Structure formats: structure tokens, C-alpha cells
Amino acid sequence: MTARDPIADLRRIAFLLERANEATYRVRAFRSAANALGALPAGEVAERARTGKLTELSGVGDVTARCVSESLAGEEPVYLRRLLATEGTDLDEAAAKLRDTLRGDCHTHSDWSDGGSPIEEMALAAVELGHEYVVLTDHSPRLKVARGLTADRLRKQLDHVAAVNEALPKGFRILTGIEVDILADGSLDQDDELLARLDVVVGSVHSGLNDDRAKMTRRMLAAIANPHLDILGHCTGRMVSSRPAGVTGPGDRGHRARTRKESDFDAEAVFAACAEHDVAVEINSRPERQDPPKRLIRRALEAGCWFAINTDAHAPGQLDWQRFGCERAALCGVPADRVVNTWKADRLVKWTAGRR
């Protein structure tokens, strides 16, 4: 039988484990093995498999070595086959139709902050999913647990993204962005000059989540009125699951999910301000967030808000979590023409630039 690509099979297994929100150590085992094998000269993988020396490599264990041997023998690895057989149910018609209209993802992270994979790897996974663009939104400086980007590091990242875009497949691009902290006074945690250079700015509250209703409302309204803010991220800050979030980067320990109640704010005032200032409300697709809850999605829709159905992905497999956001959006009657990431990249960037 014709040999398969064992490195591609290992990466596919890691992707499916991430998508299923499996434990980080399982994902890391397959990604580490793929990276170790990818660094070898041509032909050495097959030679090591033939002589039983795969596990002598750092990062390759018995399970991953078995997958490699099965791939080289032309067989679909048993581990991969089992994952594909249990990967879940199909979306219902309305959610599937909405998912098919999405052209990109406006909230993703890389290993420059608390994500687990390089920018290039995140971009190529988005290409495989059929995206036309992905917005890179690593964290801002105040979120130290997530290795937030200082102004200098963000400038370096912008140069790096420009270089990566030159090498990506035609028709796909990485848009520049940030998930900027909304500070206690409602200001945004990055230099205005840099925010003005970015394609998309997502603003989220990460601290003081138990502030009283009046204080939190003032804070959010001030941020929404800022012309640099394009998308209001996970607006209630809630966590509905105590399972690990699947983050595989340096911020893993700080970003394990835990149950957390919603922040209290005047939703009517906040969503009215979003509609007035042309700020989109994020429908965050992370399984442990499901933020905002459906009742608030409906209120934002009634207020006339735009939406962005985002994954908040910290790993390649999580980029396929948009299905979860689409399910909740469809249940709330959100039409595709109210979702900004159904737009082509040029229209999205024109919209954000016009808001500046």
C-alpha cells in the first residue's frame, strides 16, 4: 500500500483532539511528535520506523510511534480512525447555513501570548477550514498571566505578520488585531497610535468582573464609545464549565476554565451604545464560555447590534469551534447579514477603518 504522510496524520489527530476540547497533554503529545519528526532529514522517519528507533526521539512515545508506523504502512492510524468515528453530530440546517456564510474568524491567539501554536500554524489551519482570513488578536500588556504584548512586541508582531502573509496561499490573509483589555476606567490597554494601525480591535473585560452594576456599565460604555474598539468580546465574562479550556500555551495554568457567574451590567444601555457606535457584539464560541447567554444575544439583536461569531481559539483545532457559536446564534434568530465576519476581508477592514 502507498504510504501516508505520518506527520500530517499526527497533526490531524492533534487538531481533532483540540476541537473535542480534550486534555492539553494529549494534544501536546501528538504535536510534539509531529514537530520532532518534521525536523528529521527525508527518509529518516521511515528508517527509524523500520528499525524500531522512533521512540528514541524526544517527543515520540509508544502511541505516536504506532500511529507513524501505521501511516507509513499506508493505513489510516487506528487512533485517527476512532476520533473520526466519534467526532460528534451534524449541525442543524439553520446553524449549518450560518456557518457556511462565515468567511473568517475575528478573535484568535498565537504563542506570542497565551496560545499554543505559532502564527503560521494557526493560519494554515484556518486555510484548511476554508476561511478567507483570520484576525490575530493576542492579548494586551496588562494581562501578564497571558503574556500580553507590549507596544514594542506588538510592533514586531505586525512586521512578522506582514512577512507571513507573503508566504500564505493566494486568497487568504492574516488581519492584524488585538484583544485589548478594557481597563477599570473604560480605557483600552494599548497605545492609540498602535490601535489605529490594526485591522480589528476586540475589547474585553478580564479583571474586576465582580464590579457592581453601575461601575461595570460605566466602564463598558466608555470603552464602546472609543473609536478604536470594533468588537465587544465575551461581554459577561461568564464560565459555564469547569473543564480545562484546552489552552496549550504558556498561559495554560492561568487560563483553565472554571465556573464563574456573569458580570452585572445594564444590558439595555450597553447594547444600545453598541448599536449607536457601530460596535459588534461577539458571540464567543468557546464551549466553557457560551458568552453572551442566549437571552442577551436576543436583546442585542433587538437593539440593532452587529455580531461577530468568533472562536477565541488558542490552538488550531479550536478554530473549528465556530459551529458552537453558530448554533446559539441560529437559535436566537441572528441573520447572516448582521454578522460582520460573513463579510469579505476588504469590507471588514473598510468598516473598522471608517470607525476610526
Side-chain angles (χ1 to χ4, degrees):
M1 296 177 68
T2 303
R4 295 166 58 94
D5 181 344
I7 297 174
D9 280 343
L10 291 173
R11 293 192 184 283
R12 181 63 178 165
I13 290 169
F15 178 93
L16 292 171
L17 288 171
E18 287 166 345
R19 189 171 73 176
N21 208 17
E22 291 288 348
T24 296
Y25 75 88
R26 287 193 179 126
V27 177
R28 188 175 290 129
F30 287 93
R31 287 213 181 277
S32 295
N35 291 336
L37 298 180
L40 296 179
E44 188 173 337
V45 175
E47 178 61 19
R48 282 182 174 271
R50 186 184 68 79
T51 57
K53 294 183 178 179
L54 281 171
T55 54
E56 293 180 4
L57 290 169
S58 176
V60 180
D62 291 337
V63 173
T64 50
R66 189 179 310 120
C67 291
V68 170
S69 296
E70 290 166 347
S71 291
L72 290 171
E75 302 170 4
E76 184 175 67
V78 172
Y79 202 111
L80 176 57
R81 195 182 317 143
R82 287 174 180 164
L83 282 174
L84 291 170
T86 58
E87 61 178 335
T89 57
D90 292 334
L91 293 176
D92 67 29
E93 185 177 352
K97 186 176 181 181
L98 181 56
R99 172 65 187 84
D100 287 345
T101 66
L102 298 182
R103 296 176 181 269
D105 191 333
C106 295
H107 185 171
T108 70
H109 297 274
S110 76
D111 61 2
W112 281 61
S113 64
D114 64 340
S117 295
I119 294 169
E120 296 87 339
E121 197 166 325
M122 295 293 289
L124 290 174
V127 171
E128 291 178 7
L129 287 171
H131 288 341
E132 297 175 14
Y133 57 87
V134 66
V135 186
L136 177 61
T137 55
D138 280 323
H139 288 285
S140 62
R142 297 286 183 95
L143 203 62
K144 296 186 184 301
V145 69
R147 296 178 66 238
L149 272 63
T150 63
D152 285 343
R153 290 184 66 215
L154 180 54
R155 289 187 185 95
K156 291 177 182 177
Q157 186 181 80
L158 294 179
D159 291 339
H160 183 73
V161 168
V164 172
N165 270 332
E166 290 294 322
L168 288 173
K170 186 177 180 180
F172 179 89
R173 61 196 273 205
I174 302 169
L175 299 182
T176 59
I178 192 170
E179 183 184 13
V180 65
D181 263 27
I182 295 174
L183 302 178
D185 61 357
S187 60
L188 304 183
D189 180 32
Q190 193 49 273
D191 295 347
D192 283 347
E193 171 266 327
L194 271 173
L195 293 177
R197 289 178 58 187
L198 300 174
D199 293 321
V200 178
V201 174
V202 178
S204 306
V205 173
H206 289 107
S207 61
L209 293 166
N210 292 322
D211 284 351
D212 65 55
R213 179 183 178 86
K215 184 175 181 180
M216 182 62 78
T217 301
R218 287 195 301 271
R219 181 180 184 181
M220 295 175 76
L221 291 178
I224 292 164
N226 189 312
H228 294 299
L229 184 68
D230 304 309
I231 298 171
L232 178 64
H234 48 73
C235 64
T236 76
R238 75 174 187 172
M239 293 285 190
V240 298
S241 169
S242 59
R243 290 189 60 199
V247 180
T248 57
D252 186 12
R253 183 176 302 170
H255 276 70
R256 289 193 181 279
R258 58 200 180 279
T259 55
R260 183 169 63 210
K261 67 178 184 179
E262 301 170 22
S263 294
D264 188 18
F265 59 89
D266 184 338
E268 183 176 351
V270 165
F271 294 145
C274 286
E276 177 186 355
H277 294 284
D278 221 19
V279 170
V281 174
E282 177 181 77
I283 297 177
N284 189 290
S285 301
R286 293 192 69 85
E288 77 277 11
R289 283 194 181 276
Q290 300 178 36
D291 193 3
K294 291 192 290 293
R295 75 178 194 283
L296 292 186
I297 295 176
R298 294 188 182 99
R299 292 186 71 174
L301 182 61
E302 291 167 1
C305 294
W306 295 109
F307 294 91
I309 301 176
N310 296 330
T311 61
D312 193 357
H314 287 68
Q318 296 173 7
L319 287 166
D320 206 19
W321 282 355
Q322 277 183 319
R323 61 182 63 198
F324 303 136
C326 288
E327 286 174 337
R328 292 191 300 115
L331 285 171
C332 296
V334 175
D337 63 7
R338 299 301 302 171
V339 180
V340 299
N341 47 327
T342 63
W343 300 343
K344 292 184 177 181
D346 287 345
R347 181 181 175 188
L348 180 66
V349 170
K350 184 177 180 180
W351 171 69
T352 60
R355 298 192 62 265
R356 304 282 185 266

